[in-house]
Amino acid sequence: MTKSLKIAPPNSLFFLSDLRGGQAPDFEPGKLVLATDSVVSIRCLANVDGKTKISLGARAEVASAAIVVFSGSLKTPSRRLVVSTVEEDAVLREDVSGTVTKVVISANRETEPDEIVVAWE
């Protein structure tokens, strides 16, 4: 089942990881998406400019946004994928079947997207 919400996250940033967390990528200015094997960071619309809609769901169930901005695998030892904020508030959660999960992240634009879709398989 796809889960979605609109939020203006602190620092205009989301993190995708296992429930237990992982090693966040080092900051690189100007990059929309950064990743390690355990955490993906995703920049979004500046929080002062409004809310970003973020959706999380199985790839077969979600409609992707216009531009694929990340495709890769993420370690998920607890078998639970979490979208969180820099304040470590989990805003979306989804159970996954394996300890490594393929994810595809798409956005409606390459700079300050206000729609982000995280699809897992």
Side-chain angles (χ1 to χ4, degrees):
M1 182 169 92
T2 303
K3 299 173 182 175
S4 298
L5 74 121
K6 280 188 158 187
I7 184 174
N11 297 79
S12 308
L13 192 62
F14 291 106
F15 291 97
L16 177 67
S17 68
D18 181 75
L19 179 64
R20 297 180 188 157
Q23 178 63 45
D26 292 331
F27 174 74
E28 290 183 43
K31 297 281 187 169
L32 181 64
V33 177
L34 298 167
T36 65
D37 63 355
S38 58
V39 179
V40 179
S41 67
I42 312 156
R43 290 181 45 209
C44 63
L45 181 68
N47 58 357
V48 298
D49 292 333
K51 295 180 178 182
T52 297
K53 179 181 179 185
I54 186 155
S55 302
L56 174 66
R59 190 162 188 193
E61 298 174 0
V62 297
S64 66
I67 305 161
V68 173
V69 295
F70 177 81
S71 181
S73 295
L74 198 61
K75 290 181 181 178
T76 50
S78 74
R79 293 188 165 99
R80 182 157 258 204
L81 203 53
V82 177
V83 174
S84 58
T85 67
V86 296
E87 295 172 333
E88 298 181 11
D89 292 329
V91 295
L92 295 173
R93 297 176 188 181
E94 185 83 17
D95 291 333
V96 295
S97 58
T99 58
V100 176
T101 303
K102 168 110 169 113
V103 295
V104 177
I105 301 171
S106 57
N108 64 333
R109 41 184 194 250
E110 294 177 355
T111 305
E112 290 196 37
D114 63 357
E115 183 177 341
I116 298 168
V117 176
V118 178
W120 61 269
E121 53 184 60

